[in-house]
Amino acid sequence: MRGRYFLAGVPLVVAGAVFVAWLAAPNSGPETPLETRAGWPERADIGGGFELVDHTGRTVTDRDFLGRFRLIYFGYTSCPDVCPTTLQRMTLALNRLNGDEVRQLQPLFISIDPERDTPEVMASYVENFHPRLIGLTGSPEQVAKAAKAYRLYYSAVEKEGDDHYLMDHTSFVYLISPDGDLLELMPDETTPVEMAATIREAVARAP
Ligand code: NI
């Protein structure tokens, strides 16, 4: 445990730098025209299919959530700061919505640390947050595919054989439409009030 909290800022700085470098990097594949809008990835490039395992051990795909808005955050349960803070912000935002709005929305927490985040670990972790939150994990390959679809960077740091390593990862809350299109990317500065307003507006616009 020693050093874990001290080190907490390091991966965030590294992740930020890597993310900026990634945004600035020339683009390789034809499927990834990396234009940026106000420094963010073009929204049409983000989202898409995944197959993962939920916190009850059931295999799920993105198609299981079609027809509902999705509020998605990628992170890991051992994260000392940003992930629990973000999930708390999501919970506070959801608490501001009415029952009808909440029913149209599926909050998802997708682990980028599948080695430690088994379905059992995810099950006890999601209990700390909104009752509708579903935790998703899977094999390292399944997680890598999901992260790639959402243009998410993640990497283990300080991994020296013990179980206390940290993960670098980009940190956005994704609001996805019932059809699976990206509607909003919400950065860490987004308050629960702002997040709730964004969700409410999107739900109100839905047919
Ligand atoms: Ni985190």
Side-chain angles (χ1 to χ4, degrees), residues 12 73-76 79-84 112 167 169 171:
L12 299 175
Y73 187 67
F74 287 82
Y76 66 114
C79 181
D81 40 38
V82 177
C83 296
I112 44 82
M167 303 289 295
H169 62 98
S171 179

Side-chain angles (χ1 to χ4, degrees), residues 124-188:
S124 59
Y125 190 70
V126 295
E127 279 178 16
N128 296 305
F129 304 101
H130 195 275
R132 278 182 66 77
L133 182 65
I134 294 178
L136 300 177
T137 184
S139 68
E141 294 74 23
Q142 286 175 317
V143 166
K145 267 182 118 170
K148 189 171 182 228
Y150 286 83
R151 306 298 298 267
L152 189 108
Y153 166 80
Y154 68 101
S155 177
V157 288
E158 304 285 325
K159 197 170 178 178
E160 288 164 355
D162 70 25
D163 242 12
H164 299 310
Y165 58 90
L166 294 162
M167 303 289 295
D168 288 339
H169 62 98
T170 42
S171 179
F172 284 114
V173 175
Y174 301 74
L175 180 62
I176 306 292
S177 79
D179 295 332
D181 298 324
L182 177 72
L183 297 176
E184 290 293 337
L185 271 180
M186 292 179 267
D188 291 341

Side-chain angles (χ1 to χ4, degrees), residues 67-70 99-106 132 178 203 206:
R68 266 174 288 170
F69 288 90
R70 279 145 272 172
D100 191 47
E101 290 164 335
V102 169
R103 271 190 295 279
Q104 296 186 57
L105 185 76
Q106 180 58 62
R132 278 182 66 77
V203 170

Side-chain angles (χ1 to χ4, degrees), residues 53-58 118-120 122-124 126 133-137:
V53 179
D54 76 11
H55 67 250
T56 69
R58 195 172 64 105
T118 61
E120 295 73 23
M122 294 296 275
S124 59
V126 295
L133 182 65
I134 294 178
L136 300 177
T137 184

